[in-house]
Amino acid sequence: MTLTIRPLEAGDHEAWRVLWTAYLEFYGTTVSKDVYASTWRRLLGSEPYDPNGLLALSGATPVGLVHYIYHRHCWRVENVCYLQDLYADASVRGTGVGRALIEAVYQEADAAGCPSVYWMTQDFNETARRLYDRVATLTPFIKYQR
């Protein structure tokens, strides 16, 4: 498999929507049309804290995506990078797509001067957690949400 990782482009909207919808379905959730539209606009935006997106292509076929956000941090001078969404199509899981997307975010964060990349996942996401255990360090933090 020839894998290419590149930034999202305006012409990727339909492929991105299919992949992001599958990601949301994996986590048992949906978002409104307005959220799809605003997220897409933000991913293509140029504001400093707009999210960024990368697309994984096997040949010419989109097979994965990642969204990440740079933000300020009270414990560091530098910004940090939050890897918000990571998805590889079921047909390519276990072939290195997820790892390639994470490593691409690491490279982007390094280039932006961000010393830290972090993310969260559901405890039941055992397949992805096996990869995460190889490419990052599990922290003891527990998430609370209003």
CSV table of all heavy atoms in Angstrom, one decimal, residues 59-106:
chain,number,residue,atom,x,y,z
A,59,GLY,N,-3.0,5.2,-2.2
A,59,GLY,CA,-3.1,5.5,-3.7
A,59,GLY,C,-3.9,6.8,-3.7
A,59,GLY,O,-3.5,7.8,-3.2
A,60,ALA,N,-5.0,6.8,-4.4
A,60,ALA,CA,-5.9,8.0,-4.5
A,60,ALA,C,-7.1,8.0,-3.6
A,60,ALA,O,-7.9,8.9,-3.5
A,60,ALA,CB,-6.3,8.2,-5.9
A,61,THR,N,-7.2,6.9,-2.8
A,61,THR,CA,-8.4,6.6,-2.0
A,61,THR,C,-8.2,7.1,-0.5
A,61,THR,O,-7.3,6.7,0.2
A,61,THR,CB,-8.7,5.1,-1.9
A,61,THR,OG1,-8.9,4.6,-3.2
A,61,THR,CG2,-10.0,4.9,-1.1
A,62,PRO,N,-9.0,8.1,-0.1
A,62,PRO,CA,-8.9,8.5,1.3
A,62,PRO,C,-9.3,7.4,2.3
A,62,PRO,O,-10.3,6.8,2.1
A,62,PRO,CB,-10.0,9.7,1.4
A,62,PRO,CG,-10.2,10.1,0.0
A,62,PRO,CD,-10.0,8.8,-0.8
A,63,VAL,N,-8.4,7.1,3.2
A,63,VAL,CA,-8.6,6.0,4.2
A,63,VAL,C,-8.5,6.4,5.6
A,63,VAL,O,-8.7,5.6,6.5
A,63,VAL,CB,-7.6,4.8,3.9
A,63,VAL,CG1,-7.9,4.2,2.5
A,63,VAL,CG2,-6.2,5.3,3.9
A,64,GLY,N,-8.1,7.7,5.9
A,64,GLY,CA,-8.0,8.1,7.3
A,64,GLY,C,-7.9,9.6,7.4
A,64,GLY,O,-7.6,10.3,6.5
A,65,LEU,N,-8.1,10.0,8.7
A,65,LEU,CA,-8.0,11.5,8.9
A,65,LEU,C,-7.6,11.7,10.3
A,65,LEU,O,-7.7,10.8,11.2
A,65,LEU,CB,-9.3,12.2,8.6
A,65,LEU,CG,-10.6,11.9,9.5
A,65,LEU,CD1,-10.5,12.5,10.9
A,65,LEU,CD2,-11.8,12.4,8.8
A,66,VAL,N,-7.1,12.9,10.6
A,66,VAL,CA,-6.7,13.4,11.9
A,66,VAL,C,-7.0,14.8,12.0
A,66,VAL,O,-6.8,15.6,11.0
A,66,VAL,CB,-5.2,13.0,12.3
A,66,VAL,CG1,-4.3,13.8,11.4
A,66,VAL,CG2,-5.0,13.3,13.7
A,67,HIS,N,-7.6,15.3,13.1
A,67,HIS,CA,-7.8,16.7,13.4
A,67,HIS,C,-6.9,17.0,14.6
A,67,HIS,O,-6.9,16.2,15.6
A,67,HIS,CB,-9.2,17.0,13.8
A,67,HIS,CG,-10.2,16.7,12.7
A,67,HIS,ND1,-11.5,16.3,13.0
A,67,HIS,CD2,-10.1,16.6,11.4
A,67,HIS,CE1,-12.2,16.1,11.9
A,67,HIS,NE2,-11.3,16.2,10.9
A,68,TYR,N,-6.2,18.2,14.6
A,68,TYR,CA,-5.4,18.6,15.8
A,68,TYR,C,-5.5,20.1,15.9
A,68,TYR,O,-5.7,20.8,15.0
A,68,TYR,CB,-4.0,18.1,15.6
A,68,TYR,CG,-3.2,18.5,14.4
A,68,TYR,CD1,-2.4,19.6,14.5
A,68,TYR,CD2,-3.4,17.9,13.2
A,68,TYR,CE1,-1.7,20.1,13.4
A,68,TYR,CE2,-2.8,18.4,12.0
A,68,TYR,CZ,-1.9,19.5,12.1
A,68,TYR,OH,-1.2,19.9,11.0
A,69,ILE,N,-5.3,20.5,17.2
A,69,ILE,CA,-5.4,21.9,17.5
A,69,ILE,C,-4.2,22.3,18.4
A,69,ILE,O,-3.9,21.6,19.4
A,69,ILE,CB,-6.7,22.1,18.4
A,69,ILE,CG1,-7.9,21.6,17.6
A,69,ILE,CG2,-6.9,23.5,18.8
A,69,ILE,CD1,-9.2,21.4,18.5
A,70,TYR,N,-3.7,23.5,18.1
A,70,TYR,CA,-2.6,24.1,18.9
A,70,TYR,C,-3.3,25.0,19.9
A,70,TYR,O,-4.3,25.7,19.6
A,70,TYR,CB,-1.7,24.9,18.1
A,70,TYR,CG,-0.9,24.1,17.0
A,70,TYR,CD1,-1.0,24.4,15.7
A,70,TYR,CD2,-0.1,23.1,17.4
A,70,TYR,CE1,-0.3,23.7,14.7
A,70,TYR,CE2,0.6,22.3,16.5
A,70,TYR,CZ,0.5,22.7,15.1
A,70,TYR,OH,1.2,21.9,14.2
A,71,HIS,N,-2.8,25.0,21.1
A,71,HIS,CA,-3.4,25.9,22.1
A,71,HIS,C,-2.4,26.3,23.2
A,71,HIS,O,-1.4,25.6,23.4
A,71,HIS,CB,-4.7,25.3,22.8
A,71,HIS,CG,-4.5,24.1,23.6
A,71,HIS,ND1,-4.2,24.2,25.0
A,71,HIS,CD2,-4.6,22.8,23.3
A,71,HIS,CE1,-4.1,23.0,25.5
A,71,HIS,NE2,-4.3,22.1,24.5
A,72,ARG,N,-2.7,27.4,23.9
A,72,ARG,CA,-1.8,27.8,24.9
A,72,ARG,C,-1.9,26.9,26.1
A,72,ARG,O,-2.9,26.2,26.3
A,72,ARG,CB,-2.1,29.3,25.3
A,72,ARG,CG,-2.0,30.2,24.1
A,72,ARG,CD,-1.9,31.6,24.6
A,72,ARG,NE,-1.9,32.6,23.5
A,72,ARG,CZ,-0.8,32.9,22.8
A,72,ARG,NH1,0.3,32.3,23.0
A,72,ARG,NH2,-0.9,33.8,21.8
A,73,HIS,N,-0.9,27.0,27.0
A,73,HIS,CA,-0.9,26.1,28.2
A,73,HIS,C,-0.3,26.9,29.3
A,73,HIS,O,0.7,27.5,29.2
A,73,HIS,CB,0.0,24.8,27.9
A,73,HIS,CG,-0.3,23.7,28.8
A,73,HIS,ND1,0.2,23.7,30.1
A,73,HIS,CD2,-0.9,22.5,28.6
A,73,HIS,CE1,-0.1,22.6,30.7
A,73,HIS,NE2,-0.8,21.8,29.8
A,74,CYS,N,-0.9,26.8,30.5
A,74,CYS,CA,-0.5,27.5,31.6
A,74,CYS,C,0.8,27.0,32.3
A,74,CYS,O,1.4,27.7,33.1
A,74,CYS,CB,-1.6,27.6,32.7
A,74,CYS,SG,-3.0,28.6,32.1
A,75,TRP,N,1.2,25.8,31.9
A,75,TRP,CA,2.4,25.2,32.5
A,75,TRP,C,3.6,25.3,31.6
A,75,TRP,O,4.7,24.7,31.9
A,75,TRP,CB,2.2,23.7,32.8
A,75,TRP,CG,1.1,23.5,33.9
A,75,TRP,CD1,0.3,24.4,34.5
A,75,TRP,CD2,0.8,22.3,34.5
A,75,TRP,NE1,-0.5,23.8,35.4
A,75,TRP,CE2,-0.3,22.5,35.4
A,75,TRP,CE3,1.2,20.9,34.3
A,75,TRP,CZ2,-0.9,21.5,36.2
A,75,TRP,CZ3,0.6,19.9,35.0
A,75,TRP,CH2,-0.4,20.2,35.9
A,76,ARG,N,3.4,25.9,30.4
A,76,ARG,CA,4.5,26.0,29.4
A,76,ARG,C,4.5,27.4,28.7
A,76,ARG,O,3.4,28.0,28.6
A,76,ARG,CB,4.3,24.9,28.3
A,76,ARG,CG,4.4,23.5,28.7
A,76,ARG,CD,4.2,22.6,27.5
A,76,ARG,NE,4.3,21.2,27.9
A,76,ARG,CZ,5.5,20.5,27.9
A,76,ARG,NH1,6.6,21.1,27.5
A,76,ARG,NH2,5.5,19.3,28.2
A,77,VAL,N,5.6,27.8,28.2
A,77,VAL,CA,5.7,29.0,27.4
A,77,VAL,C,5.2,28.7,26.0
A,77,VAL,O,4.4,29.4,25.4
A,77,VAL,CB,7.1,29.5,27.4
A,77,VAL,CG1,7.2,30.7,26.4
A,77,VAL,CG2,7.6,29.9,28.8
A,78,GLU,N,5.5,27.5,25.5
A,78,GLU,CA,5.1,27.1,24.2
A,78,GLU,C,3.7,26.6,24.1
A,78,GLU,O,3.1,26.2,25.1
A,78,GLU,CB,6.0,25.9,23.7
A,78,GLU,CG,7.5,26.1,23.8
A,78,GLU,CD,8.0,25.6,25.2
A,78,GLU,OE1,7.2,25.2,26.1
A,78,GLU,OE2,9.2,25.7,25.4
A,79,ASN,N,3.1,26.7,23.0
A,79,ASN,CA,1.8,26.1,22.8
A,79,ASN,C,1.9,24.6,22.8
A,79,ASN,O,3.1,24.0,22.7
A,79,ASN,CB,1.2,26.4,21.4
A,79,ASN,CG,0.7,27.8,21.3
A,79,ASN,OD1,0.5,28.5,22.3
A,79,ASN,ND2,0.5,28.3,20.1
A,80,VAL,N,0.8,23.9,23.0
A,80,VAL,CA,0.8,22.4,23.0
A,80,VAL,C,-0.2,22.0,21.9
A,80,VAL,O,-0.9,22.8,21.3
A,80,VAL,CB,0.4,21.8,24.3
A,80,VAL,CG1,1.5,22.1,25.4
A,80,VAL,CG2,-0.9,22.2,24.8
A,81,CYS,N,-0.2,20.7,21.5
A,81,CYS,CA,-1.0,20.2,20.4
A,81,CYS,C,-2.0,19.2,21.0
A,81,CYS,O,-1.5,18.2,21.6
A,81,CYS,CB,-0.1,19.7,19.3
A,81,CYS,SG,-1.0,19.0,17.9
A,82,TYR,N,-3.2,19.4,20.8
A,82,TYR,CA,-4.2,18.4,21.1
A,82,TYR,C,-4.7,17.7,19.9
A,82,TYR,O,-5.2,18.3,18.9
A,82,TYR,CB,-5.4,19.1,21.8
A,82,TYR,CG,-6.6,18.2,22.1
A,82,TYR,CD1,-6.4,17.0,22.8
A,82,TYR,CD2,-7.9,18.5,21.6
A,82,TYR,CE1,-7.5,16.1,23.0
A,82,TYR,CE2,-9.0,17.6,21.9
A,82,TYR,CZ,-8.7,16.5,22.6
A,82,TYR,OH,-9.8,15.6,22.8
A,83,LEU,N,-4.5,16.4,19.8
A,83,LEU,CA,-4.9,15.5,18.7
A,83,LEU,C,-6.3,15.1,19.1
A,83,LEU,O,-6.6,14.3,19.9
A,83,LEU,CB,-4.0,14.3,18.6
A,83,LEU,CG,-4.1,13.4,17.4
A,83,LEU,CD1,-2.9,12.6,17.2
A,83,LEU,CD2,-5.3,12.5,17.5
A,84,GLN,N,-7.3,15.8,18.4
A,84,GLN,CA,-8.7,15.6,18.8
A,84,GLN,C,-9.4,14.4,18.2
A,84,GLN,O,-10.1,13.7,18.9
A,84,GLN,CB,-9.5,16.9,18.4
A,84,GLN,CG,-10.9,16.8,18.9
A,84,GLN,CD,-11.6,18.2,18.8
A,84,GLN,OE1,-11.3,19.0,17.9
A,84,GLN,NE2,-12.6,18.4,19.7
A,85,ASP,N,-9.2,14.2,16.9
A,85,ASP,CA,-9.9,13.1,16.2
A,85,ASP,C,-8.9,12.3,15.4
A,85,ASP,O,-8.1,12.9,14.6
A,85,ASP,CB,-11.0,13.6,15.3
A,85,ASP,CG,-12.0,14.5,15.9
A,85,ASP,OD1,-12.4,14.2,17.1
A,85,ASP,OD2,-12.4,15.5,15.3
A,86,LEU,N,-8.9,11.0,15.4
A,86,LEU,CA,-8.1,10.2,14.6
A,86,LEU,C,-8.9,9.0,14.2
A,86,LEU,O,-9.6,8.3,15.0
A,86,LEU,CB,-6.9,9.6,15.5
A,86,LEU,CG,-6.0,8.6,14.8
A,86,LEU,CD1,-5.2,9.3,13.7
A,86,LEU,CD2,-5.1,8.0,15.8
A,87,TYR,N,-8.9,8.8,12.8
A,87,TYR,CA,-9.7,7.7,12.3
A,87,TYR,C,-9.0,7.0,11.1
A,87,TYR,O,-8.5,7.7,10.2
A,87,TYR,CB,-11.1,8.2,11.9
A,87,TYR,CG,-12.0,7.1,11.3
A,87,TYR,CD1,-12.6,6.2,12.2
A,87,TYR,CD2,-12.2,7.0,10.0
A,87,TYR,CE1,-13.4,5.2,11.7
A,87,TYR,CE2,-13.0,6.0,9.5
A,87,TYR,CZ,-13.6,5.1,10.3
A,87,TYR,OH,-14.4,4.1,9.9
A,88,ALA,N,-9.0,5.7,11.1
A,88,ALA,CA,-8.6,4.9,10.0
A,88,ALA,C,-9.8,4.0,9.6
A,88,ALA,O,-10.4,3.4,10.4
A,88,ALA,CB,-7.4,4.1,10.3
A,89,ASP,N,-10.1,4.0,8.3
A,89,ASP,CA,-11.2,3.2,7.8
A,89,ASP,C,-10.9,1.7,8.2
A,89,ASP,O,-9.8,1.2,8.3
A,89,ASP,CB,-11.2,3.3,6.3
A,89,ASP,CG,-12.4,2.5,5.7
A,89,ASP,OD1,-13.5,3.1,5.8
A,89,ASP,OD2,-12.2,1.4,5.2
A,90,ALA,N,-12.0,1.0,8.6
A,90,ALA,CA,-11.9,-0.4,9.0
A,90,ALA,C,-11.1,-1.2,8.0
A,90,ALA,O,-10.4,-2.2,8.5
A,90,ALA,CB,-13.3,-1.0,9.3
A,91,SER,N,-11.2,-1.0,6.8
A,91,SER,CA,-10.5,-1.8,5.8
A,91,SER,C,-9.0,-1.7,5.8
A,91,SER,O,-8.3,-2.5,5.2
A,91,SER,CB,-11.0,-1.4,4.4
A,91,SER,OG,-10.5,-0.1,4.0
A,92,VAL,N,-8.4,-0.6,6.5
A,92,VAL,CA,-7.0,-0.4,6.5
A,92,VAL,C,-6.4,-0.5,8.0
A,92,VAL,O,-5.2,-0.2,8.2
A,92,VAL,CB,-6.6,0.9,5.9
A,92,VAL,CG1,-6.9,0.9,4.4
A,92,VAL,CG2,-7.2,2.1,6.6
A,93,ARG,N,-7.2,-0.8,8.9
A,93,ARG,CA,-6.7,-0.9,10.3
A,93,ARG,C,-5.7,-2.0,10.4
A,93,ARG,O,-5.8,-3.0,9.8
A,93,ARG,CB,-7.9,-1.1,11.3
A,93,ARG,CG,-8.7,0.1,11.4
A,93,ARG,CD,-9.6,0.2,12.6
A,93,ARG,NE,-10.6,1.3,12.4
A,93,ARG,CZ,-11.9,1.2,12.5
A,93,ARG,NH1,-12.4,0.0,12.8
A,93,ARG,NH2,-12.6,2.2,12.2
A,94,GLY,N,-4.6,-1.7,11.2
A,94,GLY,CA,-3.5,-2.6,11.3
A,94,GLY,C,-2.5,-2.5,10.2
A,94,GLY,O,-1.5,-3.3,10.3
A,95,THR,N,-2.6,-1.6,9.3
A,95,THR,CA,-1.7,-1.4,8.2
A,95,THR,C,-0.7,-0.3,8.4
A,95,THR,O,0.1,0.0,7.5
A,95,THR,CB,-2.4,-1.3,6.9
A,95,THR,OG1,-3.1,-0.1,6.8
A,95,THR,CG2,-3.3,-2.5,6.6
A,96,GLY,N,-0.8,0.5,9.5
A,96,GLY,CA,0.0,1.6,9.8
A,96,GLY,C,-0.5,3.0,9.5
A,96,GLY,O,0.1,4.0,9.7
A,97,VAL,N,-1.8,3.0,9.1
A,97,VAL,CA,-2.4,4.3,8.8
A,97,VAL,C,-2.5,5.2,10.1
A,97,VAL,O,-2.1,6.4,10.0
A,97,VAL,CB,-3.8,4.2,8.2
A,97,VAL,CG1,-4.6,5.5,8.0
A,97,VAL,CG2,-3.7,3.5,6.8
A,98,GLY,N,-3.0,4.6,11.2
A,98,GLY,CA,-3.1,5.4,12.4
A,98,GLY,C,-1.8,5.9,12.9
A,98,GLY,O,-1.6,7.0,13.2
A,99,ARG,N,-0.8,5.0,12.9
A,99,ARG,CA,0.6,5.4,13.3
A,99,ARG,C,1.1,6.5,12.4
A,99,ARG,O,1.7,7.5,12.8
A,99,ARG,CB,1.6,4.2,13.2
A,99,ARG,CG,3.0,4.6,13.5
A,99,ARG,CD,4.0,3.5,13.3
A,99,ARG,NE,3.8,2.5,14.4
A,99,ARG,CZ,4.6,2.5,15.5
A,99,ARG,NH1,5.4,3.5,15.7
A,99,ARG,NH2,4.4,1.6,16.4
A,100,ALA,N,0.9,6.4,11.0
A,100,ALA,CA,1.4,7.4,10.1
A,100,ALA,C,0.7,8.8,10.4
A,100,ALA,O,1.4,9.8,10.3
A,100,ALA,CB,1.1,7.0,8.7
A,101,LEU,N,-0.6,8.8,10.7
A,101,LEU,CA,-1.3,10.0,11.0
A,101,LEU,C,-0.8,10.6,12.3
A,101,LEU,O,-0.5,11.8,12.4
A,101,LEU,CB,-2.8,9.8,11.1
A,101,LEU,CG,-3.5,9.6,9.7
A,101,LEU,CD1,-4.9,8.9,9.9
A,101,LEU,CD2,-3.6,10.9,9.0
A,102,ILE,N,-0.6,9.8,13.3
A,102,ILE,CA,0.0,10.3,14.6
A,102,ILE,C,1.4,10.9,14.4
A,102,ILE,O,1.7,12.0,14.8
A,102,ILE,CB,0.0,9.2,15.7
A,102,ILE,CG1,-1.4,8.9,16.1
A,102,ILE,CG2,0.8,9.7,16.9
A,102,ILE,CD1,-1.5,7.6,17.0
A,103,GLU,N,2.2,10.2,13.6
A,103,GLU,CA,3.6,10.7,13.4
A,103,GLU,C,3.6,11.9,12.6
A,103,GLU,O,4.4,12.8,12.8
A,103,GLU,CB,4.4,9.6,12.7
A,103,GLU,CG,4.7,8.4,13.7
A,103,GLU,CD,5.5,7.3,13.1
A,103,GLU,OE1,5.6,7.2,11.8
A,103,GLU,OE2,5.9,6.4,13.9
A,104,ALA,N,2.6,12.1,11.7
A,104,ALA,CA,2.5,13.3,10.9
A,104,ALA,C,2.1,14.5,11.8
A,104,ALA,O,2.7,15.6,11.6
A,104,ALA,CB,1.5,13.2,9.8
A,105,VAL,N,1.3,14.2,12.8
A,105,VAL,CA,0.9,15.3,13.8
A,105,VAL,C,2.2,15.6,14.6
A,105,VAL,O,2.4,16.8,14.8
A,105,VAL,CB,-0.3,14.9,14.6
A,105,VAL,CG1,-0.5,15.9,15.8
A,105,VAL,CG2,-1.5,14.8,13.8
A,106,TYR,N,2.9,14.6,15.0
A,106,TYR,CA,4.2,14.9,15.7
A,106,TYR,C,5.1,15.8,14.9
A,106,TYR,O,5.7,16.7,15.5
A,106,TYR,CB,4.9,13.6,16.0
A,106,TYR,CG,4.3,12.7,17.1
A,106,TYR,CD1,4.9,11.4,17.3
A,106,TYR,CD2,3.3,13.1,18.0
A,106,TYR,CE1,4.4,10.6,18.3
A,106,TYR,CE2,2.8,12.3,19.0
A,106,TYR,CZ,3.4,11.0,19.2
A,106,TYR,OH,2.9,10.2,20.2
